[in-house]
Amino acid sequence: MRGKFVTFEGCEGSGKSTQLKLLAEKLDAAGVDYILTREPGGSRIAERIREIILDGKNTDMCDECEALLYAAARIQLVKEKILPALQAGKLVICDRYVHSSLAYQGHARGLGEEYVAEINRFAIENCRPDLTVFLNIPPDRAFERKHGADRDDRMEQLGLEFHKKVYSGYCALMANYPEICPVDCSGSKYQTNANIWQLFVQKGIVRG
Ligand code: TYD
């Protein structure tokens, strides 16, 4: 049987890394057979593409090139890691996926949701998530939490105004992509972790 595919989304500083770490501990304790990977990256070629995309010196990269590079990294990861793991019946957890492209390149960069969905139609090979967890925290609060942006990262250099557009992009996506489930992150990291686990049980990703 095909394994389940779960992706995580959120703005910069939404606590995704912390939540993925806490989730991994719970999955380990429950003996779940899973892989955890990330975008852009997660494979040798895709990590090379990641370096080009995020390099703070590449300020001359046009938005279309950026969108295509994310899609290129995506298909490499899908073919090399995600599909084989799903076919082996494993649970696949991915830190960011196509919804990041729709929110960042489609909405915040202004390329449009349709354009980015079209680029990605062949990049994701019908490999759609069963569940997309959206860590729902507005970017002003998230930036506050992580004490500002990393100056060497081209995407983080974009500042609060850009990240507000990313957030409203995600909110708009929820109307068209029913797999996106927002998770309340206003409590402690442990409370958020419990909210995520509850969602996993509710959606049949893990047994309760
Ligand atoms: P990363 O350091 O992994 O950020 P985070 O910890 O916030 O996930 O860098 C990934 C950056 O790339 C992040 O700013 C979001 C952005 N991104 C896009 O703009 N489009 C995409 O399709 C993906 C996957 C990521």
Side-chain angles (χ1 to χ4, degrees), residues 11-13 16-17 38-40 50 54 66 70 74 95-98 100-101 104-105 153 155-156 163:
C11 293
E12 268 24 61
K16 238 174 348 80
S17 310
R38 70 160 179 185
E39 270 215 33
R50 176 189 174 92
L54 298 183
E66 180 181 290
Y70 277 115
R74 181 161 300 130
D95 181 353
R96 297 193 180 279
Y97 194 56
V98 66
S100 281
S101 283
Y104 281 76
Q105 283 66 53
D153 180 313
M155 299 306 286
E156 290 200 23
H163 293 287

Side-chain angles (χ1 to χ4, degrees), residues 171-191:
C171 294
L173 288 178
M174 280 195 261
N176 296 334
Y177 294 85
E179 68 272 24
I180 305 179
C181 293
V183 164
D184 177 24
C185 306
S186 55
S188 71
K189 62 183 179 182
Y190 301 108
Q191 182 57 54

Side-chain angles (χ1 to χ4, degrees), residues 28-57:
D28 288 338
V32 177
D33 192 8
Y34 71 99
I35 66 159
L36 175 59
T37 188
R38 70 160 179 185
E39 270 215 33
S43 85
R44 193 181 69 82
I45 298 284
E47 289 289 336
R48 301 281 306 270
I49 298 173
R50 176 189 174 92
E51 285 166 23
I52 299 172
I53 302 176
L54 298 183
D55 187 339
K57 294 192 287 297

Side-chain angles (χ1 to χ4, degrees), residues 36-112:
L36 175 59
T37 188
R38 70 160 179 185
E39 270 215 33
S43 85
R44 193 181 69 82
I45 298 284
E47 289 289 336
R48 301 281 306 270
I49 298 173
R50 176 189 174 92
E51 285 166 23
I52 299 172
I53 302 176
L54 298 183
D55 187 339
K57 294 192 287 297
N58 287 343
T59 49
D60 48 345
M61 185 183 294
C62 71
D63 296 345
E64 290 81 356
C65 174
E66 180 181 290
L68 285 161
L69 285 176
Y70 277 115
R74 181 161 300 130
I75 190 137
Q76 183 69 31
L77 181 68
V78 165
K79 284 196 140 172
E80 201 180 316
K81 296 270 167 75
I82 297 178
L83 283 177
L86 291 175
Q87 276 149 13
K90 291 179 202 254
L91 166 64
V92 175
I93 313 264
C94 193
D95 181 353
R96 297 193 180 279
Y97 194 56
V98 66
H99 305 92
S100 281
S101 283
L102 295 165
Y104 281 76
Q105 283 66 53
H107 284 270
R109 287 290 196 205
L111 289 176

